[in-house]
Amino acid sequence: MKPYAVSEQNSLGRIFDEPKSPLRNDFQRDRDRIIHSSAFRRLMYKTQVFVNHEGDMFRTRLTHSLEVAQISRGIARSLGLNEDLAETIALAHDLGHTPFGHAGQDALNQCMQDYGGFEHNLQSLRVVDVLEKRYFKFNGLNLTFESREGILKHCSIKNAKQLGALGERFIHKTQPSLEAQVVDVADGIAYNIHDIEDGFRSGILTVEMMCEVSLFEQIFSEMKKIEKNASEKIRVYETLRRMMHSLINDVTQKSQKNISSSNISQIDEVRQSSLPLIQFGEDVELDLIQCRQSLKRLLYDHPRIKEMSIQAHKVIKLLFDYHMNHFELVPKDYQIDDNSERAVADFVSGMTDRFAINLYESLIK
Ligand code: MG
């Protein structure tokens, strides 16, 4: 590993001291704690874009997290960074997501408007710091600073001020470790590609529609020349596979250049930097922005997906209000301090799609 990678030697450690493991390094232990957590298992039944029960072939938060981990490991390895840490952050990055994807988080944020709001990144940190309970001596999983730093991808300044060393970078507008930056770009690569694939599978997206996206169109038109007799489905798969490959290549090359020209030699210099060093090249960055805009209009704002968002708002709002009025029904594990609104938000956000829908349906009968 390069000297500017996170290592056990330069790690800022855990909040509660623990003896070292003879078999695994600190970041492998963090990863294993996440895989064995209850919040991780529940990602299997949480929406990425399509509600979990719409079909078994769509991505869920769990398969999304696995794809992000795979891409993160590859980029981290190519750049001489800490693969184990990158994998750990990727597997944990969406642990705080509500049921029903972004619609669920917007709804819960509205419910919590007068009580400090709801941010899914901050909630992911709360899951590993507080809500998972498996140890005699502390709440949470007692992860290393570096895993927690990576999990907290975004944070409002107001909340950052409550977080001590972990919140400082949001106040000073500096960067986290390169491994955290790698997961950030890997997340974008994963969801752009798999949302297109799921969009095709659902019948919402067509090749004609996607040909307005230059990243897609450039490769797809080449695929037509290479294999004239291939089915459209295989051409689309080849295109998406090659798109992923070219995005990973581009970000690896550009980031390597950035690292070399910045002359950084240690992790402190990474954290003092005001701009991320892990970046796409300028052209690809612009292509990705165009891709996002098209996906928003063609897929995320499609009436079928919007309908799901409206349903999600109804379900989350009712479950929140109901538990505020019947606080005794919130499991004791969530009643951490005297903040009943936060306990209800923790409980509702931890629900899977199907648990939330079943409970909602039993309550409106
Ligand atoms: Mg994600």
Side-chain angles (χ1 to χ4, degrees), residues 48 61 64 68 93-94 153 187 191:
Q48 182 65 29
R61 285 273 157 210
H64 162 71
V68 176
H93 85 284
D94 273 350
K153 187 160 102 176
D187 191 18
Y191 66 62

Side-chain angles (χ1 to χ4, degrees), residues 40 61-71 90-91:
F40 185 72
R61 285 273 157 210
L62 181 67
T63 60
H64 162 71
S65 300
L66 295 174
E67 290 181 38
V68 176
Q70 181 263 326
I71 296 168
L91 292 175

Side-chain angles (χ1 to χ4, degrees), residues 262-280:
S262 68
N263 281 323
I264 51 161
S265 60
Q266 48 165 326
I267 179 89
D268 290 353
E269 292 164 339
V270 172
R271 289 207 178 99
Q272 281 153 13
S273 159
S274 59
L275 287 174
L277 291 168
I278 306 296
Q279 281 178 325
F280 294 101

Side-chain angles (χ1 to χ4, degrees), residues 1 7-11:
M1 282 193 310
S7 63
E8 284 193 299
Q9 287 69 44
N10 64 30
S11 170

Side-chain angles (χ1 to χ4, degrees), residues 62-250:
L62 181 67
T63 60
H64 162 71
S65 300
L66 295 174
E67 290 181 38
V68 176
Q70 181 263 326
I71 296 168
S72 300
R73 283 198 79 117
I75 300 173
R77 188 183 313 130
S78 306
L79 295 173
L81 302 175
N82 188 328
E83 264 185 76
D84 294 323
L85 174 62
E87 181 182 26
T88 302
I89 296 169
L91 292 175
H93 85 284
D94 273 350
L95 285 179
H97 256 289
T98 60
F100 316 121
H102 283 278
Q105 108 120 14
D106 291 346
L108 195 54
N109 190 28
Q110 274 176 20
C111 295
M112 288 294 286
Q113 213 44 257
D114 296 335
Y115 318 108
F118 180 88
E119 298 174 23
H120 75 262
N121 282 292
L122 192 60
Q123 190 68 14
S124 297
L125 184 68
R126 189 166 164 79
V127 167
V128 299
D129 276 1
V130 182
L131 295 177
E132 285 290 328
K133 291 184 181 138
R134 300 182 166 257
Y135 293 83
F136 282 135
K137 296 200 170 129
F138 44 77
N139 282 345
L141 301 175
N142 196 31
L143 302 185
T144 59
F145 177 91
E146 291 73 17
S147 295
R148 298 169 61 237
E149 170 192 51
I151 290 169
L152 191 64
K153 187 160 102 176
H154 303 290
C155 184
S156 61
I157 301 281
K158 189 177 76 163
N159 285 322
K161 285 180 181 162
Q162 318 288 319
L163 292 172
L166 211 60
E168 272 173 30
R169 78 177 157 98
F170 301 100
I171 299 162
H172 302 303
K173 301 205 178 344
T174 52
Q175 297 300 314
S177 71
L178 293 173
E179 288 80 359
Q181 296 179 37
V182 163
V183 177
D184 203 0
V185 297
D187 191 18
I189 295 173
Y191 66 62
N192 279 302
I193 303 284
H194 67 46
D195 287 356
I196 298 173
E197 193 187 311
D198 283 355
F200 277 120
R201 188 184 297 284
S202 70
I204 293 176
L205 294 181
T206 62
V207 164
E208 290 69 40
M209 286 176 180
M210 281 310 294
C211 280
E212 73 170 50
V213 174
S214 67
L215 273 174
F216 182 90
E217 195 277 328
Q218 283 163 20
I219 301 178
F220 188 78
S221 58
E222 260 176 59
M223 290 309 99
K224 274 190 200 160
K225 290 176 213 149
I226 295 175
E227 271 299 332
K228 291 196 173 63
N229 298 323
S231 69
E232 185 173 88
K233 194 171 159 190
I234 287 291
R235 264 191 216 141
V236 166
Y237 281 140
E238 275 285 350
T239 303
L240 294 176
R241 197 175 62 71
R242 287 170 198 233
M243 257 174 88
M244 182 179 292
H245 178 78
S246 78
L247 290 173
I248 292 172
N249 255 351
D250 179 83

